[in-house]
Amino acid sequence: MSLLIFNTLTGKKEPFVPLRENQIGMYVCGVTAYDYCHVGHARAAIVFDTLSRYFQHLRYKVRFVRNFTDIDDKIINRANEEGTDWREVNRKYIAAFYEDMEKLNIAAPTEEPKATDHLPEMLDMIQSLVNQDKAYESEGNIFYAVKSFDGYGRLSGKNIADLRAGARVKINKTKRDPLDFALWKKSKPGEPFWESPWGPGRPGWHIECSAMSKKYLGDTFDIHGGGKDLVFPHHENEIAQSCGCTGKQPVRYWMHNGFVNIDKEKMSKSRGNFFTIREVYKKYHPEVLRLFLISSHYRSPIDFSEKNLADATTVLSRFYEGLASARKKTAQLNEESIPNFREKVNAHPVTKKFETAMNDDLNTAVAVACMNEELRNLNSAAANESASSLEKLAVATTAWETAGKILGLFFLTPEKFEEELFAIKNHSRNLDVGKIEKLIARRKTARQSKNWAEADRCRDELNAMEVVIEDTASGTEWKLR
RNA sequence: GGCACCGUCGCCAAGUGGUAAGGCAGAGGUCUGCAAAAUCUCUAUCGGCGGUUCGAUUCCGCCCGGUGCCUCCA
């Protein structure tokens, strides 16, 4: 049973074999810091965070690099629009990025390099390409000569001859070939610039990833990830640059996640059909968003909709409630009191099923299904009075919870989750908690005197406020529908 | 125009050459004063037409429908 990963380069699922035993080098394209992140960014972050967590579960040491593009036309434009400095734009949106990601329980990567901190590395690479005649200067710009690299197009499955250069973008007359791309762009007056052997300018977009992945992970590393939209030209160009420079294949496994759609169409900035992550947080819990995004396979498109988020909310609430009741039932047990606890957890059927799903190209959809199935067992066992089964329940609960944590779930206590969910649901309703509690107390009194009619009246009133009550052994509990 | 991908229950979503996971919604039962929660049971032959095969939803071809990439984009 080994891990299979779909490699964009070959178009097939391949057994994953790391370059160095027990150690993985992984580079994921981060964001250009010029605006708030949308749900598409969340998906990419979640996919590769989950992959990293799973690698760690498999006892690999992961060196995870995720960059920030902090110099680019869009950043400069945004600075002009907002009437500030481009550095201020970076500061603002990188801070926002961290806020959004933390709430999604995205773990910090090992390294988070920024393009502008790596000018020497980029200039070195460009120089090397120029020296080898794989890049040329034209009017203060440096372009990569695509024709000099015969592997160009392999990643994206494109035939260079088939590309209709200029079909959608004006042909730049300063290039020798329309497919050539900029390694270095001459700066225009008033733009930020760095000195170079070819005059003042700034790096092209693609070169930063080649330079930074090389610096932090070496000439060849295991995994490079990003959204499908980066396959061409970004990653294609990266291969051309890195390979052109070092003569080595830079990446062993290329992984690309599918898009988040709205009404079947790709969510994107240019279409304007996007929801920022922070907008979503106003109505749905961040962990709900995470669960929703891992409920489909990472390479499939996923349709973002209110119904889907609402369904995910229902499921996650069930997860947390099940976790709470299973833990409550096994509260008097601990790891030490159960012989070979860890081994039992690792050998538990849910652990095995979970690993089988994840080993199949990170099939989180099946992994979530496993959790749903096991939850039924957990709930049944938690409702069972038999003390002899408690040990089993404790093992099963930990196995189940561990699987959830690898998926990046259960980063809150059930109580905290419930509290935050309440806050989100109540945000638009603004219910009077005092009134709710008063009604529950009145119902309690009525029930004690078997005045069912009065008790039901109280409940109807609560129901009208979308308050659902639940009579348990330890008293009446309530939550928002 | 080139190159890819997708079309599975009302909705979401896995999957396999031998007759289809899971979730939401729905129906019924248990439990409950009644509810709720939990639990149990039930609900699809996989866009269409051909082909290959003992057998296809799963492979091949065509058609229909949808999407993506060929510009920046997770």
Side-chain angles (χ1 to χ4, degrees), chain A residues 268-464:
Chain A
S268 72
K269 285 281 169 61
S270 49
R271 290 167 203 251
N273 63 344
F274 62 89
F275 285 90
T276 63
I277 298 176
R278 46 192 56 206
E279 274 176 283
V280 175
Y281 289 168
K282 286 180 188 162
K283 288 182 74 177
Y284 301 96
H285 190 100
E287 192 169 345
V288 165
L289 179 60
R290 181 161 187 141
L291 177 62
F292 162 64
L293 290 173
I294 62 169
S295 295
S296 306
H297 184 84
Y298 78 90
R299 284 188 285 116
S300 307
I302 185 168
D303 219 35
F304 182 84
S305 74
E306 301 261 340
K307 164 79 164 70
N308 292 156
L309 269 298
D311 286 357
T313 304
T314 305
V315 173
L316 191 59
S317 296
R318 251 173 70 81
F319 277 14
Y320 265 118
E321 282 166 23
L323 181 62
S325 66
R327 274 185 180 172
K328 198 171 162 191
K329 186 79 181 177
T330 57
Q332 68 272 44
L333 294 175
N334 57 49
E335 290 196 21
E336 287 73 42
S337 65
I338 300 173
N340 303 320
F341 183 77
R342 222 59 240 182
E343 289 76 3
K344 283 175 182 162
V345 167
N346 290 338
H348 190 92
V350 75
T351 305
K352 293 294 159 203
K353 277 193 201 166
F354 175 79
E355 287 173 350
T356 301
M358 295 295 273
N359 279 342
D360 186 13
D361 192 31
L362 210 70
N363 198 331
T364 53
V366 170
V368 171
C370 292
M371 290 191 64
N372 268 303
E373 282 181 84
E374 181 62 16
L375 178 58
R376 279 204 303 273
N377 298 332
L378 245 43
N379 280 332
S380 296
N384 192 329
E385 290 298 317
S386 146
S388 63
S389 60
L390 280 188
E391 208 174 285
K392 270 187 178 167
L393 177 60
V395 170
T397 304
T398 299
W400 187 76
E401 189 183 356
T402 301
K405 284 192 163 158
I406 294 165
L407 295 174
L409 306 176
F410 302 144
F411 53 89
L412 300 172
T413 61
E415 296 73 31
K416 182 75 180 159
F417 173 74
E418 199 186 341
E419 190 186 311
E420 292 186 4
L421 192 61
F422 171 78
I424 292 165
K425 285 183 173 175
N426 195 221
H427 184 72
S428 54
R429 305 182 198 178
N430 210 241
L431 293 173
D432 181 350
V433 175
K435 188 182 170 193
I436 292 167
E437 280 166 356
K438 218 173 277 175
L439 274 165
I440 289 173
R442 213 164 83 200
R443 176 167 170 274
K444 187 182 176 187
T445 312
R447 290 182 76 222
Q448 276 161 352
S449 55
K450 297 202 192 302
N451 184 352
W452 308 128
E454 169 64 7
D456 290 349
R457 259 197 304 282
C458 292
R459 192 176 54 212
D460 289 346
E461 205 172 321
L462 287 160
N463 254 112

Side-chain angles (χ1 to χ4, degrees), chain A residues 1 135 144 164 219 221 266 290 301 322 326 347 443 451-452 481:
Chain A
M1 188 176 73
Y144 188 103
R164 286 172 92 199
D219 290 351
F221 54 96
K266 177 186 174 187
R290 181 161 187 141
R443 176 167 170 274
N451 184 352
W452 308 128
R481 188 178 295 130

